[in-house]
Amino acid sequence: MICPIARGAWSRIGVLAGWSALGLFAQTDGALPGTSALVDSGDFSARMVAGIDRFLDQQTELAARDRAVFWERDPASGEIRAQTIARNRERLRTIIGAVDRREPVNVLELASDTSHAARLADHPAYEVFAVRWPVFDGVFGEGLLLQPKGTAVANVVVVPDADQPPEILTGLAAGLPGSNQIARRLAERGCRVIVPTLVSREATWSGIPGKPTNLPHREWIYRQAYEVGRHIVGYEVQKVLAAVDWLERQGGPIGVAGYGEGGLLAFYAAALDQRVQATLVSGYFDARERLWREPIYRNVVSLLREFGDAEIAALIAPRAFVVEHSVAPRVDGPPAPGGGRRNIAAPGRIATPELASVRLEFERAKSLLGEKLAARCEFVADAAGPWANPFSEPAQRAFMAALGLSGASSAPSGDVSILGAVEVAGRQRRAVKQLENHTQHLVQRSEGRRLETFWNPIKAASVAEWEQPLPELKRRFWEEVIGKFPVPTLPANPRARRVTATEKFTSYEVVLDVWPGVFAWGLLQVPNDLRPGERRPVVVCQHGLEGLPADCVTQDATTRAFQAYQGFAATLAERGFITFAPHNPYRGQDAFRVLQRKANPLGKSLFSIILAQHERILDWLDELPFVDAGRIAFYGLSYGGKTAMRVPAVLDRYCLSICSGDFNEWVRKNAATDYPGSYLFAPEYEIFEWDLGHTFNYAEMAALIAPRPFMVERGHRDGVGTDEWVAYEFAKVRRFYTRLGIADRAEIEFFDGPHTINGRGTFEFLHRHLRWPARSAR
């Protein structure tokens, strides 16, 4: 839900304050204690986003440099320790969400119906069948089996790109020259081959009736799966490994080969499963530090903190590994909107990497392995440029040799007699809908998981008892869910300027340093009737999406900002509170959403930055001589309400929190396909948080705020959710506060209004818990 930015002049405060919110106001008299003059000008909001962007680029470089700490070496041999390899293999399995228990694959099922026979083609050396195999809980792998007519000499899973049907690699459909049809070539050499179908980049099945979107199928699954600790990558790796399960039962060496998205899957599958003896990756391998530019369905939490492609290759050693530099599948962005489809997909592109970049990453992999293990790694490239088609003759030859098939790969021999065809659209729909249904089942069951892992272990029946496990729960939430950066490295160096004064308060613009290039910024409102030596409570008033600090202060009733925020920072200042309206960096559409894309592979999020900014704000507020550091409250609307759930949950110096226009059954709000207001159907592609469904919904976050007071402000006509969902989630909060004997500290106010600050029950809540006498704002 977007809270609109201020437009027009400010009545009672003045138009100059509006300019100040963008850093355009000249220096005036009246500095704050302990601050130097703020003389900078320009758009502080855009500068903040740009500075964080540079900071995240630096952190990405540091992560690549510091990965060695995750790869312990034996001092005697210099090789990576076996236990390190095993630990990192399991870590990779977790972060790609390949964690569901697979079902046993005793047989492959022939996929046929009254209109389509399973036997699709005949060749002198092999037959082709449409098959499927169980993976987990209603999900099947589906594709083609090339079965030799004699004894199979090896077993291979060939994984196509997401936009390649299996028929292209088998010679049953146009798309590749015969010499590059690797599945066919392997079958001609006597290999048993399975070619699975991948979820495509089309948008045909992304959405629900009446709510179509332009999300690629892969992003459609990614969004909902990410919230419950699963991933389209992990799901499809599991499909490949389920095929390996069956192939192992047949006997003989096993290999995997893949191109594009299939190259990624073959690469990860081999890294996870030591039964794979030979691996060929085409059109994927490269330095991965610009992962944020790739489609979002490749976004893997913590990946770059622990793994580049070289490190994943280290998980394959000492088994054979072949990298081919071929033209990557070209992806310039998501499918175009049209036909009623909303344009909500994340930007992202795939382009062919430079040979030098691929070679450098390959050499880095060899250096990780050492000379002995690197001998089984082979790089196939053409100095004239990338191979125009995947699976070149040299790449096939290297892969077959790794499988123990000596001699050159054979030329295509014999014709394929095509006997039938698969209904491709139906097969793709099944691939999408099975994963969707499985994920929705996980979403529905996630509450039970949180009950088992969060609520049931809690035995606390008093505040004192609750304070025992609380620090560890806060640590888990901050470090493992939000992601925690090191503490700010710069002195705060507070700079301020007075921007305007009214009869009741004076407003100052303030900037505080956090890290190089990263700063906090906001507007401080100080009541004019402060007495010497007096210390007063503070209310931090947080704007929403695409908002500015000025939006919380303006009292011009003609502006869209006032309609949302009701000038609550100014009104509370008129009631005698000190207020501070900070800027959070969720402004600038894709410019700020890229920050989330850059943070996620580091195991961080946008709130990792916001938390550091608020730590610095609290440090500074604590030092002001007129602030009572024990009475600093937080009150946020919309995205500011999201902040109200996450920041006070871990920063105890906020003595209470009020969430307005956001409190919800948050997991379902993000990931449920049966709710039209879900973020699955919205452009906020940055909103999804890894495995939140199994860790902390809003009731659990509110429990982290306890025993401090907590309140929800909810408008009946607020489209961000439903009264029923809000009440359901809040009931858990109220029950917990009651159990601790502090029921009076948890409140909810429903009012007949939209997505806005109501400022009635919440103001009373502030006066009561901040121990400040109520008085008229006028």
Side-chain angles (χ1 to χ4, degrees), residues 689-721:
E689 295 162 285
W690 177 253
D691 205 22
L692 203 68
H694 292 139
T695 53
F696 295 89
N697 203 340
Y698 273 12
E700 288 78 20
M701 294 183 203
L704 300 186
I705 295 172
R708 293 164 290 156
F710 173 70
M711 184 171 182
V712 171
E713 185 175 51
R714 161 72 193 172
H716 289 313
R717 291 180 278 117
D718 188 341
V720 78

Side-chain angles (χ1 to χ4, degrees), residues 24 65 153 195 204 209 290 310 329 391 419 437 468 524 538 576 578 583 599 621-622 645 674 696 737 751:
L24 302 176
R65 185 197 70 185
V153 298
V195 189
T204 309
R290 294 195 174 188
F391 309 124
L419 308 175
N437 292 339
Q468 298 304 309
L524 180 75
V538 178
I578 298 165
H583 186 62
L621 288 173
D622 285 356
M645 297 309 303
D674 61 354
F696 295 89
Y737 271 70
F751 65 94

Side-chain angles (χ1 to χ4, degrees), residues 35-318:
T35 66
S36 59
L38 175 61
V39 296
D40 293 349
S41 61
D43 186 339
F44 281 120
S45 174
R47 286 170 57 186
M48 180 182 289
V49 170
I52 295 170
D53 188 90
R54 291 190 296 271
F55 171 77
L56 291 172
D57 285 343
Q58 294 162 4
Q59 292 298 307
T60 300
E61 293 175 6
L62 290 174
R65 185 197 70 185
D66 295 342
R67 273 185 213 130
V69 300
F70 298 103
W71 298 85
E72 295 178 60
R73 293 183 178 274
D74 185 291
S77 67
E79 295 181 357
I80 300 170
R81 292 181 183 273
Q83 59 266 40
T84 295
I85 293 287
R87 182 191 65 216
N88 290 350
R89 185 173 285 126
E90 289 310 303
R91 179 62 178 154
L92 179 63
R93 189 188 311 278
T94 298
I95 65 176
I96 66 171
V99 295
D100 292 291
R101 184 182 61 83
R102 292 198 303 275
E103 296 182 4
V105 187
N106 299 317
V107 296
L108 298 187
E109 301 175 20
L110 297 178
S112 63
D113 55 38
T114 55
S115 300
H116 302 87
R119 187 166 179 259
L120 301 178
D122 185 68
H123 181 276
Y126 61 89
E127 296 175 286
V128 182
F129 297 92
V131 294
R132 72 174 197 162
W133 57 97
V135 184
F136 47 75
D137 192 20
V139 174
F140 290 81
E142 191 168 354
L144 303 182
L145 168 68
L146 285 69
Q147 178 67 34
K149 292 183 175 178
T151 301
V153 298
N155 303 283
V156 181
V157 183
V158 174
V159 194
D161 179 55
D163 288 337
Q164 285 181 324
E167 288 76 8
I168 287 179
L169 299 181
T170 59
L172 303 187
L176 278 178
S179 60
N180 297 86
Q181 294 166 4
I182 186 172
R184 176 182 178 179
R185 301 291 297 280
L186 288 165
E188 289 171 343
R189 289 295 305 272
C191 295
R192 182 185 291 109
V193 183
I194 295 176
V195 189
T197 297
L198 300 191
V199 170
S200 76
R201 302 185 186 96
E202 300 167 332
T204 309
W205 310 109
S206 300
I208 57 175
K211 203 87 173 180
T213 74
N214 76 321
L215 295 177
H217 292 156
R218 302 188 72 77
E219 185 177 347
W220 171 247
I221 299 300
Y222 161 86
R223 287 189 177 203
Q224 52 194 284
Y226 201 83
E227 200 74 9
V228 287
R230 304 298 193 274
H231 202 290
I232 182 63
V233 169
Y235 280 157
E236 293 195 321
V237 164
Q238 291 274 63
K239 289 187 177 186
V240 172
L241 295 181
V244 170
D245 292 342
W246 182 77
L247 291 173
E248 182 187 29
R249 300 172 72 95
Q250 312 314 304
I254 298 173
V256 294
Y259 168 62
E261 224 62 39
L264 181 161
L265 298 173
F267 188 31
Y268 283 22
L272 294 183
D273 199 319
Q274 298 177 76
R275 295 174 299 175
V276 176
Q277 296 163 247
T279 305
L280 167 57
V281 174
S282 180
Y284 175 74
F285 192 88
D286 190 19
R288 207 52 62 189
E289 276 63 44
R290 294 195 174 188
L291 179 60
W292 62 272
R293 288 186 172 178
E294 299 178 39
I296 198 168
Y297 45 78
R298 290 183 172 183
N299 180 47
V300 174
V301 69
S302 293
L303 181 71
L304 297 183
R305 179 170 174 262
E306 301 167 44
F307 303 96
D309 280 7
E311 284 78 12
I312 293 174
L315 298 179
I316 296 175

Side-chain angles (χ1 to χ4, degrees), residues 27-38 493-500 505-512 522-528 530 578-581 617 620-621 623-627:
Q27 171 69 27
T28 65
D29 296 329
L32 286 166
T35 66
S36 59
L38 175 61
N493 185 25
R495 288 93 73 201
R497 59 177 158 225
R498 188 178 68 184
V499 292
T500 195
F505 65 86
T506 302
S507 187
Y508 299 86
E509 185 172 28
V510 180
V511 175
L512 309 166
L523 293 174
L524 180 75
Q525 286 62 239
V526 181
N528 293 335
L530 268 172
I578 298 165
T579 66
F580 185 66
I617 289 166
W620 173 69
L621 288 173
E623 294 174 357
L624 290 176
F626 45 78
V627 165

Side-chain angles (χ1 to χ4, degrees), residues 595-606:
L595 304 182
Q596 186 85 318
R597 290 295 315 273
K598 290 186 174 185
N600 280 173
L602 302 175
K604 308 297 191 295
S605 67
L606 189 61

